[in-house]
C-alpha cells in the first residue's frame, strides 16, 4: 500500500474481493476500484476517490426530485409543509419554514425528521435568531458558524449543535426563510451551499403558490361582482333567473340581469346583452349595470334612462354596444302591472296561465352605438299565474338539434312556452334553460340569460 491507501486502511485487514470498475465505500468515502494485472500473476488495485462527483450527482438528482415535488402544489400552506418535510428528510434533523408576517403573525411550518409537518401562525421576534430578519427581507444568509445555537430562542429549538438560516427567494419579493437544525454535528460548507440551492427552488415554488392564491382571490371577488345577483323572494312577485356563459370554463360573459327595489313596493328589472363574449364583455356589463343603478337614483322613466345610458356608453367606449330590456313591476289588485321597454333587445314574452304566448309591443334602438335612440314602451297586466319572460338571443340562436346546425329559434321557444302556462317563475326559467341546453348538446353556444317575472297564484 502507498501512503494514501494506508490512510484508508489503518488496521491490518485482508482486502475484499472487488470487481474491476466497482464502486466501493470506505470510511464514508466512495471509490472506483480498478485492477491492473502484471506478468508475474500479481495485481495492483487503484482506488480512485469519486466521493465529490458521486455526491454532486446525488444532490443534482435529489434537487430534481425535490423540485418536481414542490411544483405539485399551488396551495401556500401545503407548499410550506412540503418544503419543511423535504428539508427535514434530506437536509437536517428539524426544519422550519417561516413566511413573511401577516396581521395574525408569522405563518410557520415545523417538521421533525420522520414526523408530519405542523403549520400555525405565531407571534415571534425574528430578530432573536441571527440572520433570520435579514433572510426574511431577502438578504444573503450568514454562515452557520456565526450562529450560536445556545442563544437560540425557545420557540426555535434547544439543545442543538448547528443552525442554518437561509432566505427563500421569490418572484421579486422574499417568499420567506428556511431554518435547518442539527442536534449532533455541524453543517459543512458544502451542505450549506446545497441548502441554499434547495432554498432557491423552494422559494420559487412558495412564491408561485402565493401568487396563484392571490390571483384566485382577486378573480373570485371580481367575478362575484360581475355575475348576475341571487334573486330574493317578494310577497307579491315571483322572480327567477338563469345564466350560462358561452364557455364552460368561464363564469362571466356579456349577458346579465339585475333587479332593483323602488319605492312603493315597485321593482325595476333589466336584462341585457353586451356585444362580445368572455371577460372583456363581462367588464362592460359591469359598467352598464353600475350606470343603470346610478341612473335609477335620478330617473325612472324608461326612455330617459336608456337615452342617458346611451350617452354614457358613447362617452366611455365606442367599440361595444348593448341591447337591453327594462321593466318596472307594480303590484296591483288584479296581479302585476309591468311596464316594458326595449333598447334594441328581443321583446319580452308574456305567458298566460292558460298557455297563450304574447309578444310585448316594444321596440327600440341599440344602446351605445348611435348618437340618438328611439324606444317604444308597452304595458301589460299579469294576472295570477301569468308570467313575463325576458331572454337573450343566446337562447333563440342556440345552434344544435338533430343535425347540430339548426337554431333553436323563436317559433320553437313560443311553442315550448305554450306548455308552461301557470308555471312558477323558478320552474319556467329552469325549463327554458334546460331546453336550450338539450338543443345545443355538446356544441358551442353564446352567453345565455333568462329572467322570469310571475304573478303568484292566489290561494
Amino acid at each position: 500500500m502507498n501512503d494514501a491507501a494506508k490512510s484508508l486502511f489503518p488496521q491490518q485487514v485482508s482486502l475484499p474481493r472487488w470487481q474491476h470498475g466497482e464502486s466501493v465505500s470506505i470510511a464514508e468515502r466512495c471509490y472506483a476500484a480498478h485492477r491492473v494485472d502484471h506478468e508475474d500473476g500479481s495485481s495492483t488495485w487503484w482506488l480512485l476517490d469519486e466521493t465529490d462527483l458521486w455526491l454532486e450527482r446525488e444532490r443534482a438528482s435529489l434537487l430534481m426530485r425535490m423540485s418536481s415535488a414542490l411544483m405539485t402544489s399551488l396551495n401556500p400552506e401545503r407548499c410550506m409543509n412540503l418544503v419543511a418535510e423535504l428539508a427535514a428528510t434530506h437536509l437536517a434533523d428539524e426544519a422550519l419554514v417561516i413566511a413573511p408576517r401577516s396581521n395574525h403573525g408569522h405563518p410557520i411550518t415545523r417538521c421533525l425528521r420522520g414526523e408530519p409537518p405542523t403549520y400555525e401562525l405565531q407571534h415571534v421576534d425574528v430578530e432573536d435568531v441571527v440572520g433570520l430578519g435579514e433572510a426574511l427581507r431577502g438578504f444573503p444568509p450568514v454562515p452557520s458558524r456565526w450562529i450560536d445555537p445556545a442563544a437560540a430562542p425557545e420557540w426555535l429549538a434547544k439543545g442543538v449543535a448547528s443552525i442554518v438560516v437561509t432566505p427563500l427567494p421569490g418572484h421579486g419579493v422574499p417568499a420567506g426563510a428556511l431554518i435547518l437544525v442539527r442536534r449532533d454535528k455541524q453543517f459543512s460548507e458544502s451542505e450549506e451551499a446545497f441548502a441554499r440551492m434547495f432554498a432557491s427552488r423552494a422559494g420559487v415554488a412558495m412564491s408561485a403558490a402565493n401568487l396563484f392564491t392571490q390571483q384566485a382571490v382577486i378573480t373570485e371577488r371580481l367575478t362575484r361582482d360581475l355575475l348576475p345577483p341571487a334573486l330574493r323572494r317578494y310577497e307579491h312577485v315571483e322572480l327567477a333567473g338563469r345564466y350560462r356563459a358561452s364557455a364552460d370554463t368561464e363564469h362571466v360573459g356579456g349577458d346579465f340581469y339585475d333587479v332593483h327595489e323602488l319605492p312603493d313596493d315597485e321593482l325595476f328589472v333589466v336584462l341585457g346583452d353586451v356585444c362580445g363574449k368572455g371577460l372583456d364583455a363581462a367588464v362592460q356589463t359591469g359598467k352598464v349595470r353600475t350606470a343603470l343603478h346610478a341612473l335609477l337614483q335620478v330617473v325612472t322613466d324608461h326612455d330617459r334612462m336608456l337615452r342617458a345610458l346611451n350617452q354614457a356608453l358613447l362617452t366611455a367606449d365606442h367599440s361595444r354596444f348593448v341591447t337591453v330590456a327594462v321593466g318596472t313591476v307594480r303590484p296591483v289588485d288584479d296581479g302585476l302591472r309591468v311596464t316594458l321597454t326595449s333598447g334594441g333587445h328581443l321583446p319580452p314574452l308574456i305567458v298566460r296561465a292558460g298557455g297563450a304566448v304574447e309578444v310585448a309591443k316594444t321596440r327600440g334602438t341599440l344602446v351605445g352605438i348611435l348618437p340618438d335612440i328611439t324606444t317604444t314602451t308597452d304595458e301589460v297586466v299579469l294576472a295570477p299565474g301569468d308570467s313575463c319572460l325576458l331572454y337573450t338571443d343566446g337562447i333563440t340562436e342556440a345552434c344544435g338539434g338533430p343535425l347540430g346546425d339548426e337554431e333553436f329559434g323563436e317559433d320553437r321557444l313560443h311553442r315550448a312556452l305554450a306548455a308552461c302556462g301557470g308555471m312558477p317563475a323558478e320552474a319556467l326559467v329552469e325549463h327554458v334553460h334546460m331546453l336550450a341546453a338539450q338543443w345545443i348538446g355538446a356544441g358551442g353556444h353564446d352567453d345565455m340569460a333568462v329572467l322570469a317575472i310571475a304573478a303568484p297564484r292566489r290561494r
Side-chain angles (χ1 to χ4, degrees), residues 330-337 352 381-386 455-456 458:
R330 307 176 185 86
V332 293
D333 291 339
D334 50 354
L336 299 174
R337 190 173 298 274
R352 299 299 181 184
V381 174
L382 301 181
D386 293 348
R458 293 172 180 170

Side-chain angles (χ1 to χ4, degrees), residues 305-388:
M305 177 180 295
L306 292 181
R307 288 178 181 274
L309 176 63
N310 185 64
Q311 292 302 313
L313 294 181
L314 286 175
T315 303
D317 189 352
H318 292 275
S319 63
R320 292 187 183 275
F321 59 86
V322 60
T323 66
V324 291
V326 298
T328 301
V329 184
R330 307 176 185 86
V332 293
D333 291 339
D334 50 354
L336 299 174
R337 190 173 298 274
V338 185
T339 304
L340 297 165
T341 304
S342 170
H345 199 79
L346 296 168
L349 300 177
I350 311 303
V351 184
R352 299 299 181 184
V357 179
E358 305 169 7
V359 181
K361 299 177 179 62
T362 174
R363 297 289 187 275
T365 313
L366 297 172
V367 179
I369 195 170
L370 298 174
D372 194 21
I373 63 171
T374 60
T375 63
T376 59
T377 299
D378 189 19
E379 189 172 273
V380 298
V381 174
L382 301 181
D386 293 348
S387 301
C388 175

Side-chain angles (χ1 to χ4, degrees), residues 58-143:
E58 285 294 308
R59 286 177 173 175
S61 175
L62 178 58
L63 279 177
M64 290 182 62
R65 298 197 302 271
M66 295 166 83
S67 297
S68 298
L70 287 170
M71 298 310 295
T72 59
S73 176
L74 287 175
N75 177 280
E77 181 178 334
R78 287 200 295 268
C79 192
M80 287 181 63
N81 288 347
L82 183 57
V83 170
E85 189 171 15
L86 288 171
T89 302
H90 301 287
L91 305 177
D93 298 320
E94 183 178 358
L96 290 86
V97 179
I98 303 180
R101 183 182 179 86
S102 66
N103 293 333
H104 305 288
H106 284 281
I108 299 178
T109 294
R110 184 188 302 267
C111 184
L112 292 170
R113 179 175 294 178
E115 297 184 9
T118 58
Y119 174 92
E120 62 180 336
L121 290 170
Q122 287 185 272
H123 291 279
V124 298
D125 187 354
V126 297
E127 301 303 330
D128 287 345
V129 182
V130 175
L132 180 55
E134 291 82 354
L136 288 170
R137 293 192 291 271
F139 291 106
V142 299

